Amino acid sequence: MARIVILGAGLGGVIAAYEVRNSARKEDEVICINETSYYQFVPSNPWVLVGWRERKDILVDLEKPMKQRGVELLIGKAEKLQPEEKNILMADGQIVPYDYLVIATGPELAFDEIEGLGPHGGYTQSVCHIDHAQAGHDAFEEFCKDPGPVIVGAVQGASCFGPAYETAMIIETELRKRKLRDKVPMTFVTSEPYIGHLGLDGVGDTKGLLESEMRERHIKWITNARVKKIEPGQMIVEEVNEDGSVKQTHELPMKFSMMLPAFRGVPAVRDIDGLVNPKGFVITDTHQRNPKYPEIFGIGVCIAIAPPGKTPVPVGVPKTGFMIESMVTATAENIGEILRGKEPTHEATWNAICIADFGDGGVAFVAQPQIPPRNVNWSVSGGWVHMAKVAFEKYFLRKVRTGKSDNVFENAALNLINTHKLKT
């Protein structure tokens, strides 16, 4: 019998728990550790920010589906991973041993890297967590009583740009609905070298599509931006030249702001030699295994991926939903092979399917693989994208509630667009 532990129950962790349970032997034990008893659908947080969703709409209680699928849910905070001892020290003093470990923690949000950034003691909102989005909604409602300049974007070192674009467009849509748009100058501030870079050097014509959306919505932008400091009512931003020198310093007025932070590895795994890089992200090989500790796998936002190219301001690489699911499937299949005395053979495609909702439209893209050069490099915009995002939200939440990580309809749709999770 083997004891397999999944650390984290976000998008990657909760699906990994189900798929590892499927691939493991009947006698093997599967445990999922998470700080809370619920799963939150983070892609819906921009909707929460403007009041289009409530907390209860995007949370799933995990205890019932985990139990039904034969997965033990252990609720608590992991204090420190001890890979030499093959165990996890919990904050309450409990020690959780493992034979195999899947790290799916997601990131720590590095708000502290910039003065005044973030919802805790800072002056900007966040959509990275349901608690942040709820607090942001309260702040947004107050803002609408006395509107003024809005700044949305992503700071230096950020790697998740899609939600920044979504939040800017969704806020703009909501302001138009409330007949307040004419009172709100909007600026998009991003570390990307150009609009639509997305940490991926663009996908298809995301540059043209997103620039067009911003022009249509009268949203100004500053790229190659380095946020220096955020004060009450003001954001100080350096616009950087290609050689890294400062082109211009902007003192931007603001009454409401949502800025995505940079990510780093969580404290439980940070500073473990051979396991993580200097930023605390888990090092993995083509089979999602750590080279030094082959019994440890990494999936999702917590793993280390090198950027596709150098940029004047640091830009990270996003780990999109389908890309993460491909890592999950490869990991589950490889663990199944190892448990049966075989060498792992499965590799994730890291293909990406992304739907970015803009409130009354949006942009969708397919990248195969997500990191260039690509076999497929396609993007499109249209009103249908908003409805597609709504449909996907409902589908994925149902998938989590039922504990079924895959079904025949999903596989048929993926085959139709020739997009797969595993390399063949």
Side-chain angles (χ1 to χ4, degrees):
M1 184 186 86
R3 185 178 173 92
I4 308 157
V5 173
I6 319 293
L7 184 57
L11 185 150
V14 70
I15 300 301
Y18 299 150
E19 293 201 12
V20 168
R21 180 65 274 173
N22 287 343
S23 66
R25 302 164 301 185
K26 186 179 292 185
E27 67 269 22
D28 296 320
E29 191 177 4
V30 179
I31 300 166
C32 184
I33 299 173
N34 199 47
E35 289 189 31
T36 66
S37 62
Y38 59 81
Y39 165 81
Q40 57 172 308
F41 189 67
V42 174
S44 291
N45 282 342
W47 291 341
V48 174
L49 185 79
V50 297
W52 297 357
R53 292 290 186 278
E54 294 182 12
R55 183 186 187 92
K56 62 181 177 61
D57 298 327
I58 63 169
L59 297 187
V60 176
D61 188 324
L62 291 173
E63 296 200 28
K64 184 177 179 181
M66 289 276 186
K67 186 176 181 180
Q68 286 178 334
R69 294 304 303 274
V71 176
E72 179 186 346
L73 179 62
L74 178 58
I75 301 168
K77 182 177 181 179
E79 190 73 27
K80 198 66 184 176
L81 168 61
Q82 301 178 130
E84 301 295 343
E85 292 81 11
K86 289 190 179 182
N87 64 45
I88 299 167
L89 175 64
M90 303 294 290
D92 62 3
Q94 181 181 0
I95 293 177
V96 181
Y98 63 82
D99 294 300
Y100 298 96
L101 173 67
V102 180
I103 301 176
T105 58
E108 182 179 66
L109 308 174
F111 292 118
D112 59 302
E113 291 184 350
I114 299 172
E115 184 180 346
L117 180 67
H120 304 298
Y123 307 103
T124 63
Q125 306 302 323
S126 162
V127 292
C128 296
H129 191 280
I130 181 61
D131 294 344
H132 299 166
Q134 274 194 298
H137 174 59
D138 294 340
F140 182 73
E141 290 300 323
E142 286 301 310
F143 162 80
C144 287
K145 294 174 185 176
D146 183 22
V150 165
I151 302 172
V152 178
V155 307
Q156 56 269 29
S159 57
C160 191
F161 296 94
Y165 286 101
E166 286 189 304
T167 301
M169 308 297 186
I170 287 168
I171 287 175
E172 196 274 342
T173 301
E174 179 62 15
L175 290 172
R176 278 190 281 113
K177 288 181 179 179
R178 299 192 188 202
K179 309 296 184 186
L180 296 174
R181 183 66 184 91
D182 59 320
K183 300 178 181 179
V184 181
M186 292 186 68
T187 307
F188 191 80
V189 174
T190 179
S191 52
E192 300 162 274
Y194 57 84
I195 291 297
H197 180 278
L198 303 170
L200 300 169
D201 201 10
V203 181
D205 188 29
T206 49
K207 182 179 188 294
L209 292 173
L210 290 170
E211 282 189 358
S212 177
E213 283 282 349
M214 288 196 170
R215 288 192 183 96
E216 242 179 73
R217 295 168 185 262
H218 304 286
I219 300 174
K220 296 180 180 180
W221 65 79
I222 301 172
T223 55
N224 282 330
R226 184 165 57 214
V227 177
K228 294 298 291 180
K229 184 180 180 181
I230 302 160
E231 302 170 338
Q234 180 177 252
M235 184 180 296
I236 300 170
V237 177
E238 290 181 343
E239 186 179 355
V240 174
N241 288 309
E242 290 298 314
D243 63 0
S245 62
V246 176
K247 177 180 180 181
Q248 185 178 354
T249 298
H250 302 265
E251 295 182 358
L252 303 173
M254 68 176 204
K255 290 202 76 171
F256 183 88
S257 177
M258 195 297 295
M259 295 294 291
L260 295 177
F263 294 163
R264 60 185 172 226
V266 300
V269 303
R270 244 183 0 241
D271 304 319
I272 299 176
D273 185 51
L275 178 68
V276 298
N277 70 7
K279 291 284 286 184
F281 293 112
V282 179
I283 301 165
T284 58
D285 63 14
T286 56
H287 299 112
Q288 305 300 139
R289 296 171 94 181
N290 177 256
K292 182 174 181 179
Y293 302 102
E295 68 280 0
I296 297 178
F297 294 76
I299 59 172
V301 181
C302 69
I303 75 165
I305 301 178
K310 189 176 179 181
T311 54
V313 179
V315 169
V317 178
K319 290 90 173 185
T320 56
F322 188 81
M323 179 189 189
I324 293 172
E325 288 197 68
S326 77
M327 298 181 203
V328 169
T329 299
T331 296
E333 293 296 327
N334 287 333
I335 288 175
E337 288 179 320
I338 293 167
L339 291 171
R340 292 165 178 81
K342 301 176 183 177
E343 286 296 311
T345 61
H346 293 83
E347 295 183 27
T349 57
W350 287 15
N351 289 337
I353 304 172
C354 187
I355 302 170
D357 171 53
F358 294 165
D360 54 2
V363 169
F365 68 76
V366 176
Q368 299 180 6
Q370 179 169 293
I371 309 299
R374 305 183 179 108
N375 296 311
V376 176
N377 189 42
W378 171 86
S379 61
V380 67
S381 63
W384 62 271
V385 178
H386 172 70
M387 297 310 300
K389 182 69 176 275
V390 172
F392 178 72
E393 174 200 53
K394 295 183 184 305
Y395 168 73
F396 197 87
L397 286 170
R398 184 180 182 279
K399 192 155 75 164
V400 174
R401 288 190 188 101
T402 59
K404 295 178 180 178
S405 63
D406 222 345
N407 65 47
V408 65
F409 301 107
E410 179 179 340
N411 290 331
L414 293 175
N415 285 331
L416 192 64
I417 60 174
N418 197 29
T419 301
H420 307 285
K421 294 178 181 177
L422 298 177
K423 291 183 179 180
T424 56

